[in-house]
Amino acid sequence: VSESLLQLEPALAQQRFQELGGRGFHARIARAAVLERGLLDYAQIGSLPRSLRERLAAQLPILCSSEVARSSSPDRAIKLLLAFPSGRSERGPGTVETVFIPRRDPSDPRGATVCVSTQVGCPVACPFCASGKLGLERNLESHEILEQFVRARALGPISRAVVMGIGEPLLNLDSLTRALDVVLDEMGLGQRKITVSTVGFPERVRRLAERRPRFQLAISLHTPFDQQRDTLVPAMRGVPIEEVLAAGDHWFERTGRELTYEYVLLAGENDSQEHARSLAKRMAGRRATVNLIPFNPVEGSPFGRPTVQAVARFQGALESAGVVATVRWSRGVEAQAACGQLRLRSADAGAARIP
Ligand code: SAH
């Protein structure tokens, strides 16, 4: 498998361009065209000499992924299923999902949100989530994470990013950090516009807080009860919720960045008034927002989506207890919006299953 432009450090890319008869600054032009404008074809980069463009097109692909499937929903969200060949590292191929989510209001001039994946599969295995169903295959490399941003940028301007696709970001933090550095420094996204979502391993959250993170953090809580969290987030079995919250407090003290606690609302499971009251007690005195996510149905899942009224009641109970609570009605349910669904489906069909 040949290397891609995005895979090469800028200095190496300059060298490759020179080997292909170009100049060092041509590599900088190409990199900027890809990262800033989302151009995926050398032919579109008019400021490069034509003969060089032809040699580049033949010998140095811009990206290494291919688009396996695309689904779009009436609300204009576009979900891509991307396949990565096995790279230099011989870590095996894999497919992940990337979602491009335009602003709700089409006349809003601000860019879209992109949702990216960090792992091929996921080791966390939350029972309501499609991403963990096939287990973890491998971590993505940093250029593979970066490529997802570029593929989204090719669909339109982006101004926000959520690392809420397939995988557990804190288990692949080095690659993620390297990718985000490029996104921040060369694609122009702001530090406050990138949110990384994690199940919240307390030690990792604490260590991360010391590393001058350049993004916002969201922790998936899903219930105020320890026993229930053991089943909803099995990877955290035995870790008391108070420890997760204490790590979140530490993060806020060290970084000054407020946290979001995510809470998937599962009908009849964790959406009772008792849950809301108990969650409000846990949140008391903490400067954090609770983001309620009504469950996105996953095929064959025993869980149900709560009604609009049930969601409003839960949110109301939190707010009357002084907790800031927002609701994220997922976009693109029609586009198989739940994490990992597109990948799961194409695996069922045999299209993307890795032998
Ligand atoms: N591993 C990270 C990122 C996962 S995706 C984490 O757990 O935070 C981001 C959020 O989507 C998580 O809160 C996750 O629990 C939630 N989620 C997963 N499947 C969902 C579904 N079917 N419906 C609604 N939210 C879901």
Side-chain angles (χ1 to χ4, degrees):
V1 181
S2 63
E3 277 174 337
S4 63
L5 172 63
L6 272 196
Q7 200 168 353
L8 297 175
E9 293 298 324
L12 273 178
Q14 292 192 18
Q15 205 180 311
R16 279 294 281 141
F17 271 57
Q18 279 156 2
E19 285 162 16
L20 292 170
R23 309 269 299 273
F25 72 89
H26 290 142
R28 284 200 299 276
I29 289 174
R31 187 173 166 96
V34 172
L35 293 174
E36 292 169 23
R37 292 191 284 150
L39 301 185
L40 300 185
D41 186 350
Y42 290 110
Q44 295 169 290
I45 311 176
S47 45
L48 297 178
R50 191 146 64 108
S51 56
L52 176 63
R53 278 185 268 158
E54 281 161 8
R55 280 193 297 276
L56 286 166
Q59 306 210 32
L60 183 63
I62 292 177
L63 304 178
C64 67
S65 62
S66 53
E67 188 183 313
V68 180
R70 174 185 291 217
S71 64
S72 46
S73 57
D75 64 14
R76 297 170 295 117
I78 301 172
K79 184 178 248 189
L80 304 176
L81 182 67
L82 302 177
F84 292 101
S86 43
R88 247 189 320 204
S89 61
E90 313 271 324
R91 290 165 100 176
T95 56
V96 298
E97 295 176 1
T98 304
V99 196
F100 176 84
I101 309 158
R103 298 278 172 173
R104 226 168 264 273
D105 173 3
S107 66
D108 189 330
R110 292 172 300 170
T113 299
V114 55
C115 176
V116 300
S117 300
T118 51
Q119 297 182 307
V120 181
C122 184
V124 170
C126 303
F128 52 84
C129 177
S131 299
K133 297 267 184 270
L134 303 174
L136 175 70
E137 273 172 33
R138 66 172 174 91
N139 281 341
L140 288 179
E141 295 179 43
S142 65
H143 69 94
E144 294 171 325
I145 297 172
L146 179 60
E147 253 183 53
Q148 298 174 65
F149 285 89
V150 169
R151 291 230 172 237
R153 176 64 189 86
L155 298 174
I158 54 178
S159 62
R160 292 190 304 203
V162 291
V163 183
M164 297 188 180
I166 297 171
E168 169 47 48
L170 294 202
L171 297 180
N172 190 16
L173 188 60
D174 289 336
S175 294
L176 174 62
T177 304
R178 269 184 282 134
L180 291 183
D181 282 343
V182 176
V183 170
L184 288 158
D185 298 334
E186 298 180 69
M187 294 183 79
L189 258 74
Q191 294 194 16
R192 309 252 156 196
K193 303 290 182 189
I194 298 180
T195 301
V196 174
S197 175
T198 173
V199 290
F201 304 104
E203 261 320 300
R204 288 177 191 268
V205 169
R206 285 169 185 277
R207 261 186 280 140
L208 178 59
E210 307 301 326
R211 288 176 50 168
R212 292 186 178 277
R214 302 171 75 195
F215 49 77
Q216 305 294 110
L217 195 68
I219 295 182
S220 296
L221 203 59
H222 305 328
T223 173
F225 300 121
D226 282 321
Q227 269 196 342
Q228 188 175 33
R229 194 161 195 266
D230 284 350
T231 63
L232 291 183
V233 191
M236 299 285 283
R237 188 165 293 145
V239 179
I241 289 171
E242 266 323 294
E243 259 177 47
V244 175
L245 298 174
D249 294 344
H250 179 82
W251 161 278
F252 178 53
E253 279 158 28
R254 303 296 296 185
T255 66
R257 293 169 188 265
E258 271 188 39
L259 280 155
T260 303
Y261 286 101
E262 293 170 276
Y263 195 109
V264 172
L265 278 171
L266 306 162
E269 295 283 336
N270 65 354
D271 61 347
S272 72
Q273 290 295 295
E274 195 197 344
H275 279 85
R277 276 195 299 275
S278 178
L279 178 62
K281 280 202 196 109
R282 297 255 194 207
M283 289 296 135
R286 298 193 146 103
R287 278 212 6 223
T289 300
V290 172
N291 192 207
L292 302 170
I293 318 168
F295 174 63
N296 267 323
V298 173
E299 248 168 39
S301 166
F303 297 104
R305 186 170 173 93
T307 61
V308 176
Q309 291 85 343
V311 174
R313 242 181 289 127
F314 198 88
Q315 182 185 23
L318 290 178
E319 296 210 301
S320 61
V323 178
V324 181
T326 55
V327 180
R328 185 167 85 223
W329 286 104
S330 293
R331 314 272 311 275
V333 173
E334 301 82 355
Q336 294 142 43
C339 313
Q341 276 202 92
L342 192 58
R343 175 168 182 265
L344 204 54
R345 185 160 305 176
S346 80
D348 274 351
R353 192 74 187 111
I354 283 76

